[in-house]
Amino acid sequence: QKAEAPPAPSPATAAAPRKEPYRIAAVAYIESVPTEESTSGFLRGLKEAGLEEGRDFIWNYRSAQGDLSLLSTLFAAVERDRPDLVAVFSTPTLQNAIKRLKNLPIVFALVADPVAAGAGKSMTDHHPDVTGVSVIGAYDQVAELIATHYPQWKKVGALFTPAEENSVITNHLFKEAVERRGLTLVSVPVNQSS
């Protein structure tokens, strides 16, 4: 009688077994609902892949608490630790990771335009150690809702942070969307959390 082949290993177990857990360094720019949801989703994805925190990986989370100058210090610590994977949550963290970390795999989230952030020349021609999820707002749909439901409005206001590439890019995209509908965007730069 012919022996049956063993089942194929799942992606989580396909790699050679390790004696020690993978070390994942996670860096966030600011504590916010999107950051919390993204980090929670990342951890949930690892769990769904059959990986258990403590046994298969160690999660070392750092946050700059909205202080751009602190990111350099956080990435110096990540560079010194040499983790197996670096997970970054925002454009400023991605920019710092690319600039500072060499030969370390980087996974990003909460980045509107990874190409503008320096991840590569295009979405298909990028640094070999960098991958992630690009998020972009529904600016055309929001502008359409404003134009449809508030036809008396001529100007729309927006706050943006000039020091954050994501904020500059999304402000520009929203401006284009409202202008296509005959509206004017009045953008106010915000440089402090207050």
Side-chain angles (χ1 to χ4, degrees):
Q1 190 175 34
K2 192 174 178 181
E4 289 184 25
S10 71
T13 59
R18 285 175 53 115
K19 293 184 182 195
E20 58 188 56
Y22 289 98
R23 294 171 300 121
I24 302 173
V27 182
Y29 169 59
I30 194 162
E31 297 302 308
S32 65
V33 171
T35 301
E36 289 172 17
E37 289 175 351
S38 294
T39 55
S40 175
F42 190 95
L43 289 168
R44 188 172 49 254
L46 293 174
K47 184 176 181 179
E48 289 170 1
L51 301 174
E52 184 180 314
E53 189 172 358
R55 181 192 72 197
D56 300 306
F57 68 93
I58 296 170
W59 180 256
N60 186 355
Y61 179 82
R62 297 169 170 99
S63 174
Q65 302 293 325
D67 184 350
L68 281 173
S69 63
L70 184 56
L71 281 177
S72 180
T73 303
L74 295 180
F75 278 103
V78 170
E79 183 179 36
R80 192 173 46 252
D81 292 348
R82 300 298 298 170
D84 298 298
L85 178 71
V86 180
V88 295
F89 299 93
S90 75
T91 297
T93 56
L94 176 60
Q95 290 170 317
N96 274 270
I98 290 169
K99 184 169 64 171
R100 182 92 191 218
L101 307 176
K102 303 299 177 212
N103 301 317
L104 284 175
I106 299 166
V107 177
F108 63 83
L110 293 178
V111 175
D113 189 339
V115 174
K121 295 177 185 171
S122 73
M123 295 299 258
T124 55
D125 182 8
H126 54 80
H127 296 295
D129 293 336
V130 178
T131 190
V133 178
S134 173
V135 294
I136 200 71
Y139 305 113
D140 278 322
Q141 292 88 338
V142 171
E144 185 62 33
L145 284 171
I146 292 168
T148 301
H149 296 286
Y150 302 98
Q152 71 277 18
W153 290 5
K154 303 298 175 219
K155 293 182 182 178
V156 178
L159 303 175
F160 78 104
T161 307
E164 291 181 38
E165 190 71 26
N166 256 8
S167 189
V168 172
I169 290 167
T170 56
N171 185 66
H172 176 73
L173 293 172
F174 188 49
K175 180 179 186 209
E176 289 179 339
V178 298
E179 286 179 350
R180 281 193 291 273
R181 286 153 183 89
L183 300 166
T184 300
L185 182 68
V186 179
S187 298
V188 177
V190 176
N191 295 307
Q192 297 175 341
S193 59
S194 60

